[in-house]
Amino acid sequence: MPSAPSSNTRLDIILLAAGTGQRFSPEASGLPKQFQKLQQKSLIAHCLDQFLSWPKCGKIILVLPPDMANDLPSEIKDALAAYTHRITIIAGGESRADSALNGLIELDRAEEKSRYVAIHDAARPRLSHCLLDALKSALDDGAEGVIPVLPVSDTIRQKISDNPMAGSRVIDRNSLMRVQTPQAFQTGRILAAHQKLANAENKASFTDDAMIAEADGAKITLITGDEALKKITYAEDLTAMRQEMSQMETRTGSGYDVHKFSDEKTGPIMICGIAIPHPKGLLAHSDGDVGLHALCDAIFGALGTGDIGHFFPPSEARWKEAASDQFLKFASDSVKKAGGRIIHLDVTLICERPKIGPYREQMKDRLAEITGLASSRISVKATTSEGLGFTGRQEGIAAMAQATLSLPATE
Ligand code: MG
C-alpha cells in the first residue's frame, strides 16, 4: 500500500496519440484518426481541452507517432499551437505499450515526482470531469490501478473455430465488462510494471495498461465508465459521433415536376415507383416518374445541393429510360451522408387520370422501401385541377413535393 496520498495530489496525464489507426481509413487529409476533426477540433484537442480545464490536472505528456513528434506537419503544429506551452510532446514507440512506457519515462524525468497518472487513448474524445474525479478519488482511497468499465448488453458468442459451420457457444454476458480509458495508476506502480514488460516477447498481447499492471501483481479497482466515452475505431464511428454531437436543425425543401403524355407511347406509367395502367405513356428521358422526381428535388432543396438535373442530366445516355427509384435512393443516401435524416416526405400528384386513390397505399409502401423510412413518415396525396390547364386537359401529369429533413446545424 502506498503512503497516504494527499487529496491535493495532481493527476498527471499521458495522452496516447501515436497509433496509425489501421482500422480507420483516413479521410481526404490522410491523417490518422486522432487528428481528424469533430466539431472543428481534432480528437486530440477535445481530450486536451477536457484535461486542461479539469482543476486537478497535473502534467500532460502527448505521445505522437515517432515520425511526427520531432517534425510536426504544419497543419498539426497549427492545431496544437494553443497547447504547446502547457504540454510536453514526445515520440511514441512501436507498440501501444512502448508509447505508454515512453510517456511514463518522460514523467519520471521531472524534478517533482509524479504520484498519480492517467493513461488515455486520444480515440476517446468525449471525456468528462466527473469520470476524472472518480478515477482520482479511487487513487486517493489507495487503489493501485483504477479503470472505467461498462456492462455488456448484447448476447456474446464465442466461435469454436474459424469455420463458420463449426458452431459457437454463448458466453454469460453478466460476467463480462467493456473496459475504457483513461486508466489511472499510482505512477511508480505502473512504471515498474511497464519496465518489466519492456522486453517481453508477448508484449503485443497486452491491449491496455491495467493488464500490464495486473501482470505485475497490482490490484485493479473498477469504476463505472461512461457510454459517451466511446472509442473511435472505424470511420463510421466518427460519423456517428459527429451526428450525436452536432446540433440538428430542421430544414424543408420543395420540388415540382411535370411530364407530358405521349400520343405515340402507351402506358403503363410509373408514379411514385408503381406501374399504373394508362392508355398513354409519358414523354421523358428517364421513366418519367413525376412523383419520384418531385420528391428528389424536395430533398435536394432541403440539402441545398442543386436539383435532379444536376445529378442525373437528361443529356447523359445512361439515364435513358432509367428507373427513377435509384434517383430517390441517391437523394435519400445523400441525406445520410450529410449526417442527417429524413423526417417526412409529402407528395401531391396532380392529374385527372389515372385515379391515384387505389394505388396510394402501394405508393407509400414503395416510397418507404426506397428511402428506408417508416410509411407513417410518408404522405401521398392527389388532386385534379377541375379540368383547367394542361393537367385538366389531360396533356400531362404534375407533382409537387415537400421534404422535411433533420440536418447538422451549420453557420
Ligand atoms: Mg421529371
Side-chain angles (χ1 to χ4, degrees), residues 257-259 286 288-290 293 308:
D257 194 38
V258 171
H259 282 280
S286 66
D289 191 323
V290 286
H293 296 178
I308 191 168

